[in-house]
Amino acid sequence: MTWTIAAEPYDSPAAAALWRAYYTEVSDRWYLLHEGRRTDPDELEREIAAKTGAELAPPTGQLLITRYEGEPAGSAGVRLLDADTAELTRVFLYEGMRGRGGASPLVAAAEDAARALGARHIVLDTRSDLVEARALYARLGYTETGPHNDDPYAEHWFRKELLPLR
């Protein structure tokens, strides 16, 4: 079973499909937890269209797509917040791809992309209900810190120092 990871334009068909799946899942999880319903379809379409991912384009960002046996399976993006700090975002694997060992190499590749952009540390935010994500980040050496943004849905913020590439 083969995983591959490569940079891809944020607006490629694979990236767009992964963004739709990611946003649908995290939005539905929030609404089901807090309001007992799935995301309103009109709201879902507005938010997907509004958050294009353009900030994940070079020269200050990068979107990575991981493929399993050649098929798109997940994504991770990084973008510079300042000269030393990159933000990790849109880390996602399709549900059927989880548990197959793809998440850790995907995050490691995103960290390498952040280093290539000049970042010395990387930050991210997530929510309390995304327990799998929080466990992954802790396992990969991220430490919980105070807020680095004012995202209304963020409940946990993490940071990791990036060692220079050898």
Side-chain angles (χ1 to χ4, degrees), residues 127-149:
R127 298 189 326 235
S128 292
D129 62 307
L130 300 175
V131 293
E132 307 92 340
R134 290 182 14 242
L136 171 68
Y137 301 133
R139 188 174 77 243
L140 296 178
Y142 287 77
T143 55
E144 197 155 352
T145 65
H148 65 268
N149 63 26

Side-chain angles (χ1 to χ4, degrees), residues 24-112:
T24 300
E25 181 175 328
V26 297
S27 183
D28 280 353
R29 282 177 75 162
W30 190 90
Y31 276 110
L32 286 167
L33 178 66
H34 296 281
E35 298 185 11
R37 64 172 178 88
R38 295 195 180 280
T39 311
D40 174 85
D42 290 336
E43 177 188 353
L44 187 67
E45 292 307 317
R46 275 192 314 273
E47 292 301 314
I48 288 170
K51 297 178 180 164
T52 65
E55 71 278 7
L56 303 177
T60 59
Q62 187 73 70
L63 180 69
L64 301 170
I65 301 290
T66 187
R67 286 179 164 74
Y68 184 78
E69 297 294 317
E71 293 297 317
S75 65
V78 292
R79 66 183 182 122
L80 287 177
L81 298 179
D82 61 43
D84 294 325
T85 309
E87 180 180 41
L88 179 63
T89 186
R90 294 193 187 194
V91 177
F92 175 75
L93 288 174
Y94 285 127
E95 187 174 0
M97 295 291 108
R98 297 173 192 160
R100 297 182 185 199
S104 294
L106 179 58
V107 172
E111 292 170 358
D112 288 344

